[in-house]
């Protein structure tokens, strides 16, 4: 029986053998692997790209103080982006499951419709949730649009839920019982993380401070986006810090999630705040797309 | 035609969402039939089938080649002269003496008959199939090759197109049509499998694909029954069965079990978890109570080591644990203690919070004549939206509120009314079981309708984000089937657009759901729509009386009366004078009118509409004779007014059950169609 980290190594190796570069997680908080620039920005533009990376994904509202065996504030995704998608992508994906020891001859795999959409990112795609013996283990998406831009090459995005997959392979009822490394459980490594962040996210985070931080990052992102738009000179555009602007947007998104879990955003406000973040994400996506295709001029937002 | 060719088309696709498959097949078959017809080709046994990974169309005895034909090409007018004729002939590649002429409304024109060679069917199909395939309408499509590439529901990965033994040459998105299919993703032989029309199903079955949806359905039902112990049965669920038939290529049901202690949770919760989240069938005893088992349908042939069963049981256990956790947590705060929390849940930005909605609903229930339990149910009806159980299982809104109300000591009337108040969710769904529940459901829907219309969120075309049509349809169904006499005007509170919208749904309900003819509906509603259950009774009577011999002719006469009155701009108000009545048909009509009125009145007040209508229909001979012999438009003004007054009396006197002048006779409607 493979440990959690062994499964990770195998999956990375599997995709590395098929031409993916292996990236490290993005070091700004994200809600999903899709939001990391390796996906959100790299899927734009005409250049083929293949990448796989582990991305710890923070969803403050999903925290359960470490008491629920299946729900986590921070779970781990393995994100694979194949741009453009190879014709045999589903076979490659199924073989990756075999590579981590799932004998598909003895299990039941189903592809159930599940289209993905992120209003915050102006992004959507078509795809499935992959069910293994009734357990959702993967989200599979053909991206169609990102940052409001129709994509030139259609990437396949494969997102493995690593905790679930490992619990399945190890036959564990609780993620905290997963063997992370020989003799070390997932709970040993992560329980305190879940407990303390749940307390902070639900009870102690200062709503005032979070709003202030949100506004600071929003202003900084907006300032950069405005500066980029004013540029005419090609060389100045090429060296412009679009990536740092995107990090500011990610900060906003995470702060929004924190405010949400703190119960500080009413349903009415929600839509408005999401629209503010989306506006910035879309502007950054257009700027990046513009940098990837110099000379074609910025696509109208 | 005997001796034609067989045709096999298989579109190999990545997994198509189950619910989209049948409509796609219908479109594929009808496009194919249209193509044959346009090209004067024949075929027999046209049939479609599908699995999630393939759409299949087969036909036999397909005409191999179009018959040769002749076409008439029309050229310039004959009067255009020699030069024009020579030019026309040259264009067609014939000599001028081969031209003929045709007579047209615009004069005589040059023309040429020429033979058209029939095309090979394979060429016709090769040219048309890409368009037919890509023309299948899907609810949401994608592109996969590049931005300007073809769009389909999911990527097309292979194509089989065989006419006889020959491959039809075409290509879609870089995929060339061929003669090889694919088996089941894991159980089939790897790689392409050559097929012919005759062995297609057999080859696939050997590779663990049952092409026929019917076979898959039967396999599920047959084997599910076999894995259940005696005395237990699978709970019927047609929609779930349909879904599983089209999620699998080789379905195999297995039985799983769960700990009996979970049965302490309400059956509604357990079933929702199994059905919506896991696509499992519930298992029940003969008396309908749940048994601690479920049926999962695999897309594979067997579960030799029990791994699939164990996996599914583990997932279900986690789901049930969640549900149990939610139930326990939710009991810490009673429903009525959650009203304050509702103030923070927005119903709609401009329409306020759910607390405000609940308070408006309570008022409406009072206005509709509801008692104390119904009013309390209305007030508490939305409190479950703040419960963890409903946040997780949103389909259970209302149901959970009802279950909690019962568990927390609210009266059974209150609990039932909350439980049912989202019903009916569709036209097939039943209305709330109790009067309390019906009133709360009405108040809920009417409040939403009034509010949305007030702020201008009125459905147009296919845009109906608040599902107002469904809400209005629910209102109508409850009024009719629940026998609640509330008028549309009262429900609309003076909003003419809403009243019109509701009336539209009333007509839709009677016509499309209940199958009444449109003119019968118009006639019954014109006589009053404030009590829809009563309108239904009048409508049924009308439908029963309509085929009798006197009815339609009398209806035609009523229409004539209406037109006469309209032309004369006569609106009543003139007392009838017996002395001005002419002896003979006019007096006879007046007497018949009085005697029928005397018979009809008591029947009408007892709501015995059918005998009342039959009595009215008996007026026909008197009316016919009147129109035959008497000139309404008499030269003497006083006599004329008196006759109009008699007709007016008949029209208004007998229009309170149905306005007969709305009836379109079978004669008229066949002329119109």
């Amino acid at each position: 029986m493979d440990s959690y980290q062994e499964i990770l190594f195998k999956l990375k190796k599997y995709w590395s053998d098929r031409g993916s570069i292996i990236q490290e997680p993005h070091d700004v908080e994200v809600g999903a692997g899709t939001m990391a620039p390796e996906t959100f920005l790299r899927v734009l533009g005409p250049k083929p790209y293949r990448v796989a990376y582990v991305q710890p994904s923070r969803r403050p509202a999903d925290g359960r103080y470490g008491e629920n065996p299946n729900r986590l504030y921070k779970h781990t995704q393995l994100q694979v982006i194949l741009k453009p998608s190879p014709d045999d992508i589903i076979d490659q994906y199924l073989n990756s499951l075999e590579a981590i020891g799932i004998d598909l001859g003895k299990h039941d795999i189903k592809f159930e419709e599940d289209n993905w959409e992120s209003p915050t990112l102006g992004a959507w795609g078509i795809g499935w949730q992959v069910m293994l013996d009734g357990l959702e283990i993967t989200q599979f998406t053909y991206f169609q649009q990102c940052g409001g831009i129709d994509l030139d090459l259609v990437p396949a995005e494969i997102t493995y839920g690593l905790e679930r997959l490992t619990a399945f392979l190890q036959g564990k009822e609780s993620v905290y019982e997963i063997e992370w490394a020989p003799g070390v459980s997932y709970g040993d490594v992560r329980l305190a993380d879940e407990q303390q962040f749940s307390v902070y996210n639900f009870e102690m985070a200062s709503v005032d401070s979070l709003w202030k931080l949100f506004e600071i990052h929003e202003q900084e992102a907006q300032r950069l986006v405005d500066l980029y738009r004013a540029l005419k000179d090609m060389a100045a555009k090429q060296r412009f810090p679009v990536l740092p602007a995107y990090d500011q947007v990610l900060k906003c998104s995470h702060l929004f999630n924190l405010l949400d879990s703190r119960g500080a955003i009413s349903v009415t406000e929600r839509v408005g705040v999401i629209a503010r973040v989306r506006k910035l994400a879309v502007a950054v996506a257009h700027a990046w797309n513009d940098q990837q295709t110099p000379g074609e001029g910025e696509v109208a937002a | 035609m005997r001796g034609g060719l067989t045709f096999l088309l298989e579109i190999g696709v990545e997994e198509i969402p189950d619910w989209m498959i049948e409509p796609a097949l219908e479109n594929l078959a009808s496009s194919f039939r249209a193509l044959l017809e346009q090209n004067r080709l024949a075929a027999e046994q046209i049939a479609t089938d599908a699995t999630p990974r393939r759409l299949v169309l087969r036909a036999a005895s397909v005409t191999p080649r179009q018959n040769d034909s002749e076409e008439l090409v029309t050229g310039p007018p004959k009067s255009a002269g020699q030069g024009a004729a020579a030019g026309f002939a040259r264009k067609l590649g014939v000599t001028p003496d081969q031209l003929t002429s045709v007579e047209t409304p615009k004069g005589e024109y040059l023309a040429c008959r020429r033979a058209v060679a029939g095309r090979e069917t394979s060429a016709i199909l090769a040219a048309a199939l890409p368009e037919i395939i890509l023309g299948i309408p899907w609810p949401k499509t994608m592109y996969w090759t590049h931005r300007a590439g073809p769009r389909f529901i999911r990527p097309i990965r292979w194509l089989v197109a065989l006419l006889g033994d020959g491959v039809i040459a075409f290509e879609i998105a870089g995929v060339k049509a061929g003669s090889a299919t694919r088996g089941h993703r894991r159980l089939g032989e790897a790689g392409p499998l050559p097929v012919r029309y005759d062995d297609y199903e057999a080859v696939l079955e050997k590779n663990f694909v049952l092409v026929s949806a019917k076979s898959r359905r039967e396999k599920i039902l047959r084997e599910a029954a076999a894995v259940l112990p005696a005395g237990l049965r699978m709970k019927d669920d047609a929609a779930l069965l349909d879904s599983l038939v089209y999620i699998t290529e080789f379905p195999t049901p297995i039985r799983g079990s769960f700990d009996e202690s979970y049965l302490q949770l309400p059956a509604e919760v357990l079933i929702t978890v199994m059905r919506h989240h896991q696509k499992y069938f519930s298992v029940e005893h003969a008396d309908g109570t749940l048994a601690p088992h479920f049926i999962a349908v695999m897309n594979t042939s067997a579960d030799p080591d029990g791994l699939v069963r164990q996996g599914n049981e583990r997932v279900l256990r986690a789901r049930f644990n969640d549900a149990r956790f939610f139930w326990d947590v939710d009991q810490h705060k009673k429903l009525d203690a959650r009203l304050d929390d509702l103030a923070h849940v927005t119903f709609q930005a401009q329409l306020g919070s759910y607390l405000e909605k609940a308070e408006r609903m309570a008022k409406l229930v009072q206005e509709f004549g509801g008692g104390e339990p119904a009013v309390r149910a209305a007030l508490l009806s939305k409190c479950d939206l703040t419960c963890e159980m409903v946040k997780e299982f949103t389909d259970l809104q209302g149901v959970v509120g009802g279950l909690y109300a019962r568990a927390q000591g609210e009266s059974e009337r209150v609990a039932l009314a909350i439980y049912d108040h989202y019903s009916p969710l569709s036209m097939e769904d039943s209305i709330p079981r109790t009067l309390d529940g019906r009133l709360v459901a009405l108040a809920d829907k009417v409040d939403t309708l009034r509010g949305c219309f007030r702020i201008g969120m009125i459905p147009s075309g296919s845009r109906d984000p608040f599902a107002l049509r469904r809400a209005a349809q629910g209102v109508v169904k409850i009024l009719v089937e629940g026998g609640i006499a509330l008028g549309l005007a009262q429900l609309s509170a003076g909003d003419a657009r809403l009243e019109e919208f509701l009336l539209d749904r009333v007509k839709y309900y009677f016509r499309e759901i209940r199958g009444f003819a449109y003119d019968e509906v118009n006639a019954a509603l014109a006589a009053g729509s404030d009590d829809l259950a009563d309108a239904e009774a009048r409508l049924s009577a009308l439908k029963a009386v309509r085929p009798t011999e006197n009815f339609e002719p009398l209806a035609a006469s009523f229409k004539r009366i209406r037109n006469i009155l309209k032309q004369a701009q006569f609106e009543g108000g003139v007392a009838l004078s017996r002395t001005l009545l002419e002896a003979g048909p006019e007096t006879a009509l007046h007497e018949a009118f009085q005697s029928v009125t005397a018979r009809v009145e008591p029947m009408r007040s007892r709501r015995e509409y059918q005998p009342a209508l039959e009595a009215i229909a008996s007026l026909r001979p008197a009316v016919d004779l009147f129109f035959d012999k008497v000139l309404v438009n008499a030269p003497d003004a006083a006599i004329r007014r008196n006759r109009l007054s008699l007709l007016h009396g008949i029209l208004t006197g007998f229009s309170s059950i149905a306005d007969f002048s709305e009836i379109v006779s079978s004669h008229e409607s066949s002329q119109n169609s």
Side-chain angles (χ1 to χ4, degrees), chain A residues 108 110 113 126 128 134 142 151 173, chain B residues 14-15 19 143 154 186 278 297 299 317:
Chain A
D108 176 37
K110 293 198 197 84
E113 177 193 18
I126 291 255
W128 307 272
Y142 289 111
L151 300 177
E173 299 272 330
Chain B
E14 291 180 0
E15 280 76 354
W19 57 281
Y143 59 91
R154 292 288 186 278
R186 297 323 272 189
Q278 296 301 134
V297 177
N299 182 30
R317 203 151 51 229

PDB file of all heavy atoms in Angstrom, chain A residues 108 110 113 126 128 134 142 151 173, chain B residues 14-15 19 143 154 186 278 297 299 317:
ATOM      1  N   ASP A 108     -15.170   0.228 -10.735  1.00  0.00           N
ATOM      2  CA  ASP A 108     -16.203   0.817 -11.596  1.00  0.00           C
ATOM      3  C   ASP A 108     -15.897   2.291 -11.822  1.00  0.00           C
ATOM      4  O   ASP A 108     -15.834   3.064 -10.867  1.00  0.00           O
ATOM      5  CB  ASP A 108     -17.568   0.659 -10.897  1.00  0.00           C
ATOM      6  CG  ASP A 108     -18.689   1.317 -11.668  1.00  0.00           C
ATOM      7  OD1 ASP A 108     -18.663   1.262 -12.916  1.00  0.00           O
ATOM      8  OD2 ASP A 108     -19.593   1.894 -11.022  1.00  0.00           O
ATOM      9  N   LYS A 110     -17.026   5.780 -13.849  1.00  0.00           N
ATOM     10  CA  LYS A 110     -18.060   6.434 -14.653  1.00  0.00           C
ATOM     11  C   LYS A 110     -17.712   7.903 -14.847  1.00  0.00           C
ATOM     12  O   LYS A 110     -17.134   8.536 -13.958  1.00  0.00           O
ATOM     13  CB  LYS A 110     -19.418   6.361 -13.956  1.00  0.00           C
ATOM     14  CG  LYS A 110     -20.001   4.980 -13.849  1.00  0.00           C
ATOM     15  CD  LYS A 110     -21.493   5.068 -13.555  1.00  0.00           C
ATOM     16  CE  LYS A 110     -22.035   3.753 -13.038  1.00  0.00           C
ATOM     17  NZ  LYS A 110     -21.813   3.622 -11.584  1.00  0.00           N
ATOM     18  N   GLU A 113     -21.620  13.947 -16.177  1.00  0.00           N
ATOM     19  CA  GLU A 113     -21.595  15.343 -16.615  1.00  0.00           C
ATOM     20  C   GLU A 113     -21.352  16.281 -15.437  1.00  0.00           C
ATOM     21  O   GLU A 113     -22.020  16.202 -14.419  1.00  0.00           O
ATOM     22  CB  GLU A 113     -22.955  15.705 -17.245  1.00  0.00           C
ATOM     23  CG  GLU A 113     -23.027  17.153 -17.656  1.00  0.00           C
ATOM     24  CD  GLU A 113     -24.453  17.612 -17.983  1.00  0.00           C
ATOM     25  OE1 GLU A 113     -25.412  16.948 -17.582  1.00  0.00           O
ATOM     26  OE2 GLU A 113     -24.572  18.650 -18.648  1.00  0.00           O
ATOM     27  N   ILE A 126     -16.190  22.480 -20.132  1.00  0.00           N
ATOM     28  CA  ILE A 126     -17.148  21.382 -20.266  1.00  0.00           C
ATOM     29  C   ILE A 126     -16.461  20.123 -19.777  1.00  0.00           C
ATOM     30  O   ILE A 126     -15.280  19.929 -20.073  1.00  0.00           O
ATOM     31  CB  ILE A 126     -17.495  21.222 -21.763  1.00  0.00           C
ATOM     32  CG1 ILE A 126     -18.314  22.411 -22.238  1.00  0.00           C
ATOM     33  CG2 ILE A 126     -18.118  19.890 -22.060  1.00  0.00           C
ATOM     34  CD1 ILE A 126     -19.759  22.150 -22.436  1.00  0.00           C
ATOM     35  N   TRP A 128     -16.556  16.458 -16.902  1.00  0.00           N
ATOM     36  CA  TRP A 128     -17.173  15.421 -16.077  1.00  0.00           C
ATOM     37  C   TRP A 128     -16.569  15.429 -14.680  1.00  0.00           C
ATOM     38  O   TRP A 128     -15.452  15.881 -14.468  1.00  0.00           O
ATOM     39  CB  TRP A 128     -16.875  14.026 -16.635  1.00  0.00           C
ATOM     40  CG  TRP A 128     -17.199  13.795 -18.054  1.00  0.00           C
ATOM     41  CD1 TRP A 128     -18.400  13.371 -18.553  1.00  0.00           C
ATOM     42  CD2 TRP A 128     -16.323  13.927 -19.175  1.00  0.00           C
ATOM     43  NE1 TRP A 128     -18.317  13.241 -19.914  1.00  0.00           N
ATOM     44  CE2 TRP A 128     -17.064  13.572 -20.325  1.00  0.00           C
ATOM     45  CE3 TRP A 128     -14.999  14.322 -19.335  1.00  0.00           C
ATOM     46  CZ2 TRP A 128     -16.529  13.588 -21.615  1.00  0.00           C
ATOM     47  CZ3 TRP A 128     -14.455  14.348 -20.606  1.00  0.00           C
ATOM     48  CH2 TRP A 128     -15.225  13.982 -21.733  1.00  0.00           C
ATOM     49  N   GLY A 134     -18.335   5.006  -6.994  1.00  0.00           N
ATOM     50  CA  GLY A 134     -19.256   5.924  -6.325  1.00  0.00           C
ATOM     51  C   GLY A 134     -18.594   7.116  -5.659  1.00  0.00           C
ATOM     52  O   GLY A 134     -19.275   7.960  -5.087  1.00  0.00           O
ATOM     53  N   TYR A 142     -12.604  20.328 -20.191  1.00  0.00           N
ATOM     54  CA  TYR A 142     -12.057  20.972 -21.390  1.00  0.00           C
ATOM     55  C   TYR A 142     -12.354  22.457 -21.270  1.00  0.00           C
ATOM     56  O   TYR A 142     -13.503  22.872 -21.372  1.00  0.00           O
ATOM     57  CB  TYR A 142     -12.732  20.434 -22.655  1.00  0.00           C
ATOM     58  CG  TYR A 142     -12.373  19.022 -23.022  1.00  0.00           C
ATOM     59  CD1 TYR A 142     -13.307  17.998 -22.929  1.00  0.00           C
ATOM     60  CD2 TYR A 142     -11.096  18.712 -23.497  1.00  0.00           C
ATOM     61  CE1 TYR A 142     -12.974  16.693 -23.284  1.00  0.00           C
ATOM     62  CE2 TYR A 142     -10.762  17.412 -23.849  1.00  0.00           C
ATOM     63  CZ  TYR A 142     -11.712  16.408 -23.735  1.00  0.00           C
ATOM     64  OH  TYR A 142     -11.379  15.129 -24.092  1.00  0.00           O
ATOM     65  N   LEU A 151     -10.561  30.474 -25.695  1.00  0.00           N
ATOM     66  CA  LEU A 151      -9.193  29.961 -25.787  1.00  0.00           C
ATOM     67  C   LEU A 151      -8.883  29.480 -27.205  1.00  0.00           C
ATOM     68  O   LEU A 151      -9.730  28.903 -27.882  1.00  0.00           O
ATOM     69  CB  LEU A 151      -9.006  28.818 -24.789  1.00  0.00           C
ATOM     70  CG  LEU A 151      -9.254  29.241 -23.344  1.00  0.00           C
ATOM     71  CD1 LEU A 151      -9.116  28.050 -22.403  1.00  0.00           C
ATOM     72  CD2 LEU A 151      -8.296  30.352 -22.935  1.00  0.00           C
ATOM     73  N   GLU A 173     -11.439   5.494   6.425  1.00  0.00           N
ATOM     74  CA  GLU A 173     -12.729   6.169   6.546  1.00  0.00           C
ATOM     75  C   GLU A 173     -12.552   7.666   6.774  1.00  0.00           C
ATOM     76  O   GLU A 173     -13.468   8.436   6.585  1.00  0.00           O
ATOM     77  CB  GLU A 173     -13.529   5.586   7.714  1.00  0.00           C
ATOM     78  CG  GLU A 173     -13.848   4.112   7.577  1.00  0.00           C
ATOM     79  CD  GLU A 173     -15.145   3.830   6.820  1.00  0.00           C
ATOM     80  OE1 GLU A 173     -16.069   4.666   6.873  1.00  0.00           O
ATOM     81  OE2 GLU A 173     -15.217   2.782   6.154  1.00  0.00           O
TER      82      GLU A 173
ATOM     83  N   GLU B  14     -16.760  11.116 -26.702  1.00  0.00           N
ATOM     84  CA  GLU B  14     -16.492  10.957 -25.271  1.00  0.00           C
ATOM     85  C   GLU B  14     -17.829  11.109 -24.528  1.00  0.00           C
ATOM     86  O   GLU B  14     -18.778  11.683 -25.060  1.00  0.00           O
ATOM     87  CB  GLU B  14     -15.449  11.984 -24.829  1.00  0.00           C
ATOM     88  CG  GLU B  14     -14.088  11.645 -25.436  1.00  0.00           C
ATOM     89  CD  GLU B  14     -12.980  12.620 -25.051  1.00  0.00           C
ATOM     90  OE1 GLU B  14     -13.247  13.577 -24.312  1.00  0.00           O
ATOM     91  OE2 GLU B  14     -11.848  12.420 -25.522  1.00  0.00           O
ATOM     92  N   GLU B  15     -17.885  10.634 -23.315  1.00  0.00           N
ATOM     93  CA  GLU B  15     -19.154  10.437 -22.599  1.00  0.00           C
ATOM     94  C   GLU B  15     -20.136  11.623 -22.685  1.00  0.00           C
ATOM     95  O   GLU B  15     -19.879  12.706 -22.154  1.00  0.00           O
ATOM     96  CB  GLU B  15     -18.857  10.091 -21.137  1.00  0.00           C
ATOM     97  CG  GLU B  15     -18.471   8.625 -20.927  1.00  0.00           C
ATOM     98  CD  GLU B  15     -17.046   8.269 -21.351  1.00  0.00           C
ATOM     99  OE1 GLU B  15     -16.353   9.133 -21.931  1.00  0.00           O
ATOM    100  OE2 GLU B  15     -16.621   7.117 -21.095  1.00  0.00           O
ATOM    101  N   TRP B  19     -28.924  12.713 -20.120  1.00  0.00           N
ATOM    102  CA  TRP B  19     -30.255  13.260 -20.400  1.00  0.00           C
ATOM    103  C   TRP B  19     -30.355  13.902 -21.779  1.00  0.00           C
ATOM    104  O   TRP B  19     -31.425  14.253 -22.244  1.00  0.00           O
ATOM    105  CB  TRP B  19     -30.644  14.266 -19.322  1.00  0.00           C
ATOM    106  CG  TRP B  19     -29.665  15.391 -19.160  1.00  0.00           C
ATOM    107  CD1 TRP B  19     -28.479  15.347 -18.493  1.00  0.00           C
ATOM    108  CD2 TRP B  19     -29.773  16.705 -19.686  1.00  0.00           C
ATOM    109  NE1 TRP B  19     -27.846  16.566 -18.573  1.00  0.00           N
ATOM    110  CE2 TRP B  19     -28.616  17.422 -19.292  1.00  0.00           C
ATOM    111  CE3 TRP B  19     -30.742  17.367 -20.460  1.00  0.00           C
ATOM    112  CZ2 TRP B  19     -28.394  18.751 -19.642  1.00  0.00           C
ATOM    113  CZ3 TRP B  19     -30.520  18.692 -20.805  1.00  0.00           C
ATOM    114  CH2 TRP B  19     -29.360  19.375 -20.401  1.00  0.00           C
ATOM    115  N   TYR B 143     -15.950  23.350 -28.329  1.00  0.00           N
ATOM    116  CA  TYR B 143     -15.019  23.088 -29.412  1.00  0.00           C
ATOM    117  C   TYR B 143     -13.813  22.423 -28.799  1.00  0.00           C
ATOM    118  O   TYR B 143     -13.549  22.576 -27.604  1.00  0.00           O
ATOM    119  CB  TYR B 143     -14.666  24.368 -30.176  1.00  0.00           C
ATOM    120  CG  TYR B 143     -14.047  25.488 -29.368  1.00  0.00           C
ATOM    121  CD1 TYR B 143     -12.662  25.597 -29.243  1.00  0.00           C
ATOM    122  CD2 TYR B 143     -14.834  26.466 -28.755  1.00  0.00           C
ATOM    123  CE1 TYR B 143     -12.077  26.632 -28.525  1.00  0.00           C
ATOM    124  CE2 TYR B 143     -14.259  27.497 -28.042  1.00  0.00           C
ATOM    125  CZ  TYR B 143     -12.884  27.580 -27.923  1.00  0.00           C
ATOM    126  OH  TYR B 143     -12.313  28.602 -27.203  1.00  0.00           O
ATOM    127  N   ARG B 154     -19.388  16.709 -26.980  1.00  0.00           N
ATOM    128  CA  ARG B 154     -18.088  16.304 -26.451  1.00  0.00           C
ATOM    129  C   ARG B 154     -17.254  15.949 -27.674  1.00  0.00           C
ATOM    130  O   ARG B 154     -17.814  15.756 -28.761  1.00  0.00           O
ATOM    131  CB  ARG B 154     -18.205  15.068 -25.522  1.00  0.00           C
ATOM    132  CG  ARG B 154     -18.921  15.288 -24.197  1.00  0.00           C
ATOM    133  CD  ARG B 154     -18.093  16.113 -23.220  1.00  0.00           C
ATOM    134  NE  ARG B 154     -18.694  16.216 -21.901  1.00  0.00           N
ATOM    135  CZ  ARG B 154     -19.649  17.084 -21.559  1.00  0.00           C
ATOM    136  NH1 ARG B 154     -20.143  17.914 -22.453  1.00  0.00           N
ATOM    137  NH2 ARG B 154     -20.107  17.111 -20.324  1.00  0.00           N
ATOM    138  N   ARG B 186     -12.625  -0.366 -20.588  1.00  0.00           N
ATOM    139  CA  ARG B 186     -11.666  -1.242 -19.921  1.00  0.00           C
ATOM    140  C   ARG B 186     -11.856  -2.706 -20.265  1.00  0.00           C
ATOM    141  O   ARG B 186     -10.902  -3.467 -20.299  1.00  0.00           O
ATOM    142  CB  ARG B 186     -11.735  -1.094 -18.390  1.00  0.00           C
ATOM    143  CG  ARG B 186     -11.386   0.247 -17.865  1.00  0.00           C
ATOM    144  CD  ARG B 186     -10.258   0.936 -18.604  1.00  0.00           C
ATOM    145  NE  ARG B 186      -8.915   0.661 -18.146  1.00  0.00           N
ATOM    146  CZ  ARG B 186      -7.830   1.335 -18.582  1.00  0.00           C
ATOM    147  NH1 ARG B 186      -7.954   2.280 -19.493  1.00  0.00           N
ATOM    148  NH2 ARG B 186      -6.630   1.036 -18.130  1.00  0.00           N
ATOM    149  N   GLN B 278     -25.613   9.761  -5.144  1.00  0.00           N
ATOM    150  CA  GLN B 278     -24.902   8.535  -5.487  1.00  0.00           C
ATOM    151  C   GLN B 278     -25.536   7.746  -6.634  1.00  0.00           C
ATOM    152  O   GLN B 278     -24.998   6.747  -7.055  1.00  0.00           O
ATOM    153  CB  GLN B 278     -24.806   7.635  -4.242  1.00  0.00           C
ATOM    154  CG  GLN B 278     -23.990   8.245  -3.109  1.00  0.00           C
ATOM    155  CD  GLN B 278     -22.558   8.556  -3.505  1.00  0.00           C
ATOM    156  OE1 GLN B 278     -22.042   9.626  -3.220  1.00  0.00           O
ATOM    157  NE2 GLN B 278     -21.900   7.635  -4.219  1.00  0.00           N
ATOM    158  N   VAL B 297     -25.514   0.723  -9.764  1.00  0.00           N
ATOM    159  CA  VAL B 297     -25.363   0.138 -11.090  1.00  0.00           C
ATOM    160  C   VAL B 297     -23.970   0.470 -11.610  1.00  0.00           C
ATOM    161  O   VAL B 297     -23.634   1.636 -11.812  1.00  0.00           O
ATOM    162  CB  VAL B 297     -26.460   0.639 -12.049  1.00  0.00           C
ATOM    163  CG1 VAL B 297     -26.239   0.081 -13.448  1.00  0.00           C
ATOM    164  CG2 VAL B 297     -27.837   0.231 -11.526  1.00  0.00           C
ATOM    165  N   ASN B 299     -20.734   0.276 -14.339  1.00  0.00           N
ATOM    166  CA  ASN B 299     -20.535   0.230 -15.782  1.00  0.00           C
ATOM    167  C   ASN B 299     -19.437  -0.796 -16.074  1.00  0.00           C
ATOM    168  O   ASN B 299     -18.436  -0.503 -16.704  1.00  0.00           O
ATOM    169  CB  ASN B 299     -20.139   1.612 -16.306  1.00  0.00           C
ATOM    170  CG  ASN B 299     -19.977   1.608 -17.817  1.00  0.00           C
ATOM    171  OD1 ASN B 299     -20.633   0.843 -18.517  1.00  0.00           O
ATOM    172  ND2 ASN B 299     -19.090   2.449 -18.319  1.00  0.00           N
ATOM    173  N   ARG B 317     -21.624   5.636   3.600  1.00  0.00           N
ATOM    174  CA  ARG B 317     -21.488   5.787   5.049  1.00  0.00           C
ATOM    175  C   ARG B 317     -21.061   7.216   5.377  1.00  0.00           C
ATOM    176  O   ARG B 317     -21.615   7.857   6.266  1.00  0.00           O
ATOM    177  CB  ARG B 317     -20.452   4.778   5.554  1.00  0.00           C
ATOM    178  CG  ARG B 317     -20.576   4.420   7.000  1.00  0.00           C
ATOM    179  CD  ARG B 317     -20.080   3.001   7.261  1.00  0.00           C
ATOM    180  NE  ARG B 317     -18.744   2.749   6.720  1.00  0.00           N
ATOM    181  CZ  ARG B 317     -18.426   1.695   5.973  1.00  0.00           C
ATOM    182  NH1 ARG B 317     -19.349   0.787   5.672  1.00  0.00           N
ATOM    183  NH2 ARG B 317     -17.193   1.521   5.522  1.00  0.00           N
TER     184      ARG B 317
END
